[in-house]
Amino acid sequence: MIQVAVMGHGVVGSGVTEILLKNSAEIAKRVQDEIYIKKVLDLREFPDSPIADRFTKDFSEIEDDEDIKIVVEVMGGVEPAYTFVKSCLLKGKSVVTSNKELVAQKGAELLKIAKERNLNFLFEASVGGGIPIIRPLNQCLAANNVEEIDGILNGTTNFILTKMIKDSMSFEDALKLAQDLGYAERNPAADVEGHDACRKICILASMIFGKHVYPKGVHTEGITKVTLDDVGYAEAWGGVIKLIGSVKQNNGKHQILVAPMFVPAISQLSSVDDVFNAILVKGDSTGEVVFYGKGAGKLPTASAVVADVMDCVTNIDRRRNIFWEDSSNETIMPFEDTAYSMYVRVFAVNKAEACVNVSNLFGECNAIEKDNTPENEFAFVTPVMKYSDFEKACKSLEKEGCKILSTIRIADF
Ligand code: HSE
């Protein structure tokens, strides 16, 4: 029998205990051992839980229990999760986590401690909820040089954008619905400002580069400025707006960002709706591979956590080879040097004059025509431009009396 502890009994944590209890016989058959939940750490009371007697509020009951060999961390946030996880690893326990903030901030350090002690530190659920992506990147695609990853990595924002696109629902109503359904982070700013997607693309980037990519070095935009007008222009252009985390190799540098993008209807990511996530991986041998599934929610995420626990059980004395080194983000390309084609929506008193200025400043652009455009408004798509040049052109256009209402990148996948 292998004894485990679960730290946190929120949405994901309660799913983990539910799956471990409900599927215990099948799980035991698959790992050739019984997995016994010895302790659950939470500050709240859960008198109705079938294992109510195993709850504790005291971390030392887990840390000091030598019989507990595997600890699941599903508390979220960096502290106290980091202190608890580090101390479990230092005490010789393998750790499984769904905590993307923890992995994105402290992954290199925790992986190093695990490596030095021949322990496992696994985090499949930290990216894409129930979608297998960490293990496939680390194993099935290991023979590839991964050139690019583009992903819809946040279920809440994808849900909100889908409601805006399909039902013309307001941003606020859609967010409220996502929160009620248990998709959103405790602080939904992490979802709608893009920080959650940023943490996830940092984890994927760290995996493929073998060096830690820290979120603070990654340009991140959320969806709070996306309006129903922009959604309409995207449709007229031939696509949809999605919040994309993107990382690619570019002349020895790593181009990485999180931003809303116009995704063309022909792209495999354009039809990924609601709380679903999808991750497009371009390998130099495989070409494009897409991973698709539920990126948030209790049981999908818990399923990935429990699978990691099972992996720890079958590899109790052996470390899975997941590792990246620490770094200071030195290979990240400065954001100003990244280049995209851009959608721009403009208010101009004199549209004819403004269109001439647009061609002079941005080069040959394509106008987007949509029904019910306000009289003084127009939209266009620029050629691919370096962001620093794009910003300069925008400033010059505003000096000519135009007001820029929105700018959104055009996806190239
Ligand atoms: N808030 C996250 C999301 C949860 O919406 O994707 C899963 O990481």
Side-chain angles (χ1 to χ4, degrees), residues 110-119 319 321 323:
L110 297 170
L111 283 167
K112 184 163 180 271
I113 298 173
K115 187 177 182 185
E116 284 164 0
R117 284 162 179 74
N118 200 33
L119 297 166
R319 196 180 67 87
N321 192 21
F323 186 73

Side-chain angles (χ1 to χ4, degrees), residues 52-227:
D53 56 324
R54 300 183 221 163
F55 275 70
T56 177
K57 298 182 172 64
D58 181 1
F59 171 64
S60 68
E61 286 188 23
I62 293 172
E63 184 190 22
D64 297 335
D65 187 331
E66 288 184 3
D67 293 333
I68 294 175
K69 300 291 180 209
I70 300 164
V71 177
V72 174
E73 184 279 307
V74 276
M75 306 162 75
V78 174
E79 282 297 355
Y82 165 64
T83 305
F84 289 179
V85 166
K86 187 171 170 179
S87 132
C88 287
L89 289 169
L90 291 171
K91 293 262 174 143
K93 304 174 196 304
S94 285
V95 174
V96 170
T97 184
S98 62
N99 186 337
K100 52 256 153 148
E101 204 174 347
L102 177 71
V103 181
Q105 297 289 356
K106 303 286 183 185
E109 181 189 349
L110 297 170
L111 283 167
K112 184 163 180 271
I113 298 173
K115 187 177 182 185
E116 284 164 0
R117 284 162 179 74
N118 200 33
L119 297 166
N120 282 303
F121 176 60
L122 302 181
F123 44 88
E124 180 63 63
S126 65
V127 181
I131 306 172
I133 180 65
I134 302 292
R135 197 169 277 102
L137 269 183
N138 196 53
Q139 291 179 14
C140 318
L141 296 174
N144 283 261
N145 178 19
V146 174
E147 295 159 343
E148 178 168 347
I149 299 181
D150 300 292
I152 294 172
L153 298 168
N154 182 268
T156 300
T157 45
N158 204 36
F159 182 84
I160 293 171
L161 288 171
T162 304
K163 291 285 168 205
M164 290 174 77
I165 294 164
K166 300 220 157 144
D167 304 334
S168 300
M169 195 185 258
S170 75
F171 174 87
E172 289 74 20
D173 287 351
L175 172 59
K176 170 82 180 48
L177 195 53
Q179 285 175 307
D180 291 347
L181 292 168
Y183 302 147
E185 297 298 299
R186 272 178 299 186
N187 175 3
D191 294 299
V192 298
E193 302 288 357
H195 303 303
D196 179 73
C198 177
R199 289 165 191 147
K200 293 167 179 166
I201 198 70
C202 285
I203 294 171
L204 298 179
S206 305
M207 293 276 308
I208 60 171
F209 302 149
K211 282 192 182 292
H212 197 114
V213 175
Y214 286 95
K216 68 177 182 319
V218 175
H219 178 82
T220 302
E221 294 172 30
I223 61 162
T224 52
K225 290 187 191 146
V226 175
T227 66

